[in-house]
Amino acid sequence: MFKNKAILIFILLALSLTNCAKRGTITGGLKDTLAPNLKISFPENFSTKFQGDEIKLVFDEYIKLTNVNKQLIISPPMEREPIISPTTATKYLTIKIKDTLKPNTTYSFNFGQSIADNNEGNALNQFKYVFSTGAYIDSLSLTGTVRDAYEKEADAFISVMLYDMDDKFNDSVVYNKSPRYITNTLDSLKTFKLENLKAGKYLLVAMKDQNSNNKFNPKQDKIGFLKEVITIPNDTAYTVDLFKETLDFKTFKPSQSSGNKLLLGYDGKQRLKANPPKVVVTSNKIVVPSLVTKMPEKDSLQVWYKPLKADSLAISVSRDNYKEDFILRIKDQKKDSLDIKALQNGVLNFRDRFTLEASTPLVKFDKSKLKLLSKDSTAVDFTTEYDDFNQQFFIDFKKEASEQYTISLLPGALIDFFEQSNDSLNYKLTTKTPADYANLRVQLQNVKRFPVIVELTNSQGKVIASEFSEAKTTIDFNLVEPTVLTLRLIYDDNKNGVYDTGSYLQKRYSEEVIYSSKEINIHANFDWEETFDVSLPYIAPPKEKPTNKKKSSF
């Protein structure tokens, strides 16, 4: 019996060792979904009479910092940023203050979403460390919402600032001084809350601060402001609309692009086509024939000049009260030649004009050398127009459904600034049927004032169609290509037919822009009627399902 028991024990021991040698997967239980917590801090959070230059934060588990440069908001801002360490996985953080702290001031370090546990990345949401150099913690607050004055939705990471409006205040503070208080909407919120504020009078400003320096750079940053003085304490929820200012017109030193063209960079886009700058090119005080056009998709002008033998050119630029002179050394380079490109290829929509784009500016047109024929070789009447600023030549005519057209340009139909002529050009175009398009009737409701501009925009924000109304509340957009559209209304307060942005120094808001509260998914061969209540706010659109609606006429 003893022998049998010994054998049994030996077998069990062997099996146990074998099982220990087998590889397996360790299951660690439920996934950690909890954010880390602050265990203790030195000095204690919400301390008063703070005099040191170092803060230590101890957490209940290992944490990591993520995007702390974007997420951390220090209010009031510090001229010299504190050093936060370590940047590796740790249970504690040390904040080394490099700035001289202001007396009797409450400071707030809001870490946003930057502190998360090391393993699962659970963020400690909006963790704040607050202290005061005075005898108490300021506890007043201000709330509100930021919007974009022109786009449907505001950008992420909008800074919201308060500036003291004391006897030293002037409007230039946004350009050269840090605000008294600051917060940030971070990457998802469009609301803000400024906390730990002191009672007083303030200027409220919102800014898309591209350089993250708490100072307004009109060339890069969007800005929004309130004209009225903000008095704290205050329980009003404010709305601030951000806009991109139009800079004053200014040009930079030109550069030579070819043997007959200079590029002239500029700031300021105020109706440049309607009021282009005057550019005079001279060589040895003799005026050189020249033309100015817009460079496509760039903030540059093209200065075309007749080729000549010279080492340098003098360029004088003037527009309204602006004037600047330049001297440019030039080299012998290859010259631009005339090339014609059609912007439409194959199908021509009913709402479009056939457009030719010239690589050099056109100056002469011979309509007798243009022919427009239908598919049965019948001549079709047409009109022409030339946009000299954008170098585009338009051919317009009444389009019939399901028709084929041929446009022919004989040599000499188009002649450019350098006496170059087009080669023989032929273009084949077709039209669709009205059933391939949709008609949209818009009924405006609750319009506050006129005139207004009503626009259809696609998902990329491009304007598909636009109508100006001085009193009408029924707007028709016929023969529109099927797509997903958004309605936009602009209160054209200065009655110039275009949207105008605001100005901080002039204390002028941008013109008010309203988006429809939903998108419109229009389909071919349908008539649509939409009510556009401009008193309703824009909301993120739900996905619309196609509906079966019979074709009808207005």
Side-chain angles (χ1 to χ4, degrees):
M1 181 180 290
F2 177 79
K3 184 177 180 182
N4 290 338
K5 285 183 177 180
I7 293 173
L8 181 60
I9 291 172
F10 178 82
I11 293 173
L12 292 173
L13 181 61
L15 289 173
S16 176
L17 291 172
T18 302
N19 288 335
C20 287
K22 288 183 179 180
R23 293 186 178 184
T25 301
I26 299 175
T27 57
L30 296 176
K31 181 179 179 180
D32 179 14
T33 59
L34 299 177
N37 287 307
L38 181 68
K39 191 174 181 180
I40 193 170
S41 61
F42 305 95
E44 187 179 354
N45 204 356
F46 296 96
S47 292
T48 58
K49 298 181 180 180
F50 182 93
Q51 293 182 339
D53 62 358
E54 187 171 288
I55 300 163
K56 190 167 185 178
L57 308 176
V58 182
F59 296 90
D60 61 355
E61 61 178 310
Y62 279 93
I63 58 104
K64 60 183 176 183
L65 291 177
T66 305
N67 292 328
V68 70
N69 291 337
K70 278 191 173 183
Q71 295 281 337
L72 176 61
I73 304 297
I74 303 174
S75 184
M78 295 181 176
E79 292 294 331
R80 300 175 63 193
E81 292 187 1
I83 298 174
I84 301 176
S85 62
T87 56
T88 55
T90 180
K91 278 193 174 185
Y92 67 89
L93 291 176
T94 299
I95 303 173
K96 185 69 174 179
I97 297 174
K98 309 294 289 183
D99 221 16
T100 300
L101 299 178
K102 300 175 183 178
N104 300 314
T105 301
T106 299
Y107 284 86
S108 169
F109 287 69
N110 187 334
F111 284 82
Q113 303 281 334
S114 63
I115 298 176
D117 69 61
N118 185 55
N119 292 326
E120 300 295 339
N122 301 309
L124 178 55
N125 188 39
Q126 303 295 323
F127 170 70
K128 289 175 63 176
Y129 181 83
V130 180
F131 66 85
S132 174
T133 56
Y136 58 88
I137 299 287
D138 292 320
S139 58
L140 300 175
S141 63
L142 184 74
T143 61
T145 303
V146 295
R147 302 183 305 191
D148 193 286
Y150 186 70
E151 304 295 341
K152 282 193 289 188
E153 296 186 20
D155 296 311
F157 296 101
I158 300 297
S159 297
V160 184
M161 309 167 176
L162 288 177
Y163 295 84
D164 280 312
M165 296 195 73
D166 52 23
D167 54 357
K168 297 180 181 179
F169 173 83
N170 61 68
D171 286 332
S172 66
V173 294
V174 301
Y175 300 96
N176 50 44
K177 292 186 180 297
S178 294
R180 175 66 182 271
Y181 298 106
I182 186 170
T183 189
N184 195 287
T185 62
L186 300 182
D187 58 349
S188 59
L189 301 175
K190 298 299 179 284
T191 58
F192 65 87
K193 185 173 186 179
L194 287 150
E195 297 181 294
N196 304 117
L197 310 179
K198 186 186 293 290
K201 296 182 183 299
Y202 300 95
L203 167 70
L204 176 60
V205 169
M207 192 184 305
K208 177 59 179 176
D209 185 11
Q210 300 288 1
N211 288 332
S212 301
N213 62 356
N214 302 324
K215 295 177 178 65
F216 178 44
N217 180 350
K219 189 169 184 177
Q220 295 180 314
D221 301 337
K222 290 182 180 179
I223 193 170
F225 64 93
L226 293 185
K227 296 178 183 179
E228 65 265 32
V229 176
I230 305 299
T231 302
I232 304 293
N234 193 324
D235 59 0
T236 302
Y238 293 96
T239 299
V240 186
D241 291 337
L242 282 87
F243 56 85
K244 184 72 170 61
E245 286 190 347
T246 298
L247 302 176
D248 291 334
F249 182 77
K250 174 185 177 182
T251 55
F252 306 102
K253 185 174 182 178
S255 61
Q256 185 179 5
S257 175
S258 69
N260 53 1
K261 181 176 68 177
L262 308 177
L263 295 183
L264 184 65
Y266 66 90
D267 281 337
K269 302 179 182 178
Q270 314 100 311
R271 290 174 288 283
L272 208 58
K273 178 181 175 182
N275 182 22
K278 181 181 179 181
V279 179
V280 178
V281 180
T282 59
S283 174
N284 296 321
K285 298 184 179 180
I286 299 175
V287 175
V288 178
S290 61
L291 285 177
V292 177
T293 65
K294 173 73 171 64
M295 186 175 184
E297 309 299 330
K298 300 287 185 181
D299 289 342
S300 291
L301 299 172
Q302 301 175 116
V303 181
W304 305 89
Y305 63 92
K306 291 292 180 71
L308 74 164
K309 291 184 178 181
D311 295 328
S312 63
L313 294 175
I315 299 97
S316 177
V317 185
S318 59
R319 184 178 188 262
D320 299 331
N321 297 323
Y322 173 83
K323 190 176 188 306
E324 189 72 64
D325 296 315
F326 303 97
I327 299 294
L328 177 67
R329 294 189 62 83
I330 60 172
K331 300 177 181 179
D332 186 17
Q333 294 185 359
K334 183 179 179 181
K335 300 173 182 61
D336 289 287
S337 57
L338 177 62
D339 183 46
I340 304 295
K341 179 178 68 175
L343 296 191
Q344 290 91 359
N345 183 21
V347 175
L348 184 63
N349 293 317
F350 288 107
R351 298 180 65 91
D352 295 339
R353 292 186 293 177
F354 181 64
T355 306
L356 297 174
E357 195 168 69
S359 60
T360 54
L362 302 177
V363 294
K364 296 178 183 178
F365 314 93
D366 189 344
K367 191 176 178 181
S368 67
K369 295 183 179 181
L370 275 72
K371 289 185 179 180
L372 175 58
L373 302 176
S374 62
K375 62 184 174 184
D376 60 0
S377 298
T378 301
V380 178
D381 289 335
F382 63 93
T383 61
T384 63
E385 182 183 346
Y386 182 60
D387 179 351
D388 54 1
F389 193 61
N390 293 299
Q391 297 174 211
Q392 291 183 335
F393 183 74
F394 303 104
I395 300 175
D396 200 12
F397 56 96
K398 182 180 179 181
K399 305 168 192 69
E400 302 294 339
S402 301
E403 185 59 271
Q404 297 176 4
Y405 297 97
T406 301
I407 296 179
S408 301
L409 287 81
L410 297 175
L414 308 175
I415 300 175
D416 75 357
F417 181 59
F418 306 105
E419 301 299 327
Q420 299 175 112
S421 171
N422 63 284
D423 296 326
S424 293
L425 300 172
N426 291 281
Y427 302 98
K428 300 288 186 180
L429 301 169
T430 60
T431 57
K432 298 180 181 179
T433 69
D436 294 311
Y437 299 89
N439 297 321
L440 175 63
R441 170 167 287 176
V442 179
Q443 301 286 0
L444 301 177
Q445 287 187 354
N446 297 315
V447 178
K448 293 184 291 186
R449 58 192 179 275
F450 287 93
V452 295
I453 304 168
V454 183
E455 296 177 331
L456 298 181
T457 65
N458 62 14
S459 57
Q460 289 78 42
K462 179 182 176 182
V463 177
I464 301 301
S466 178
E467 292 290 337
F468 181 83
S469 173
E470 294 184 301
K472 291 192 308 179
T473 56
T474 299
I475 310 295
D476 287 334
F477 296 98
N478 294 326
L479 300 171
V480 178
E481 287 189 89
T483 187
V484 178
L485 298 171
T486 297
L487 285 164
R488 177 167 68 200
L489 180 140
I490 300 170
Y491 285 104
D492 188 20
D493 294 325
N494 62 2
K495 303 179 182 180
N496 67 350
V498 296
Y499 164 79
D500 288 283
T501 189
S503 168
Y504 167 74
L505 286 178
Q506 296 176 18
K507 292 296 178 282
R508 186 183 74 245
Y509 294 146
S510 61
E511 289 183 329
E512 188 177 359
V513 177
I514 308 294
Y515 283 87
S516 56
S517 58
K518 65 175 183 177
E519 291 182 335
I520 309 166
N521 190 1
I522 62 173
H523 304 284
N525 198 31
F526 284 92
D527 289 338
W528 300 81
E529 184 166 326
E530 288 289 331
T531 299
F532 185 4
D533 187 344
V534 298
S535 66
L536 297 178
Y538 171 79
I539 57 175
K543 291 184 178 180
E544 290 189 17
K545 295 181 179 179
T547 56
N548 295 321
K549 186 177 179 182
K550 291 183 179 180
K551 181 77 174 178
S552 61
S553 62
F554 292 152

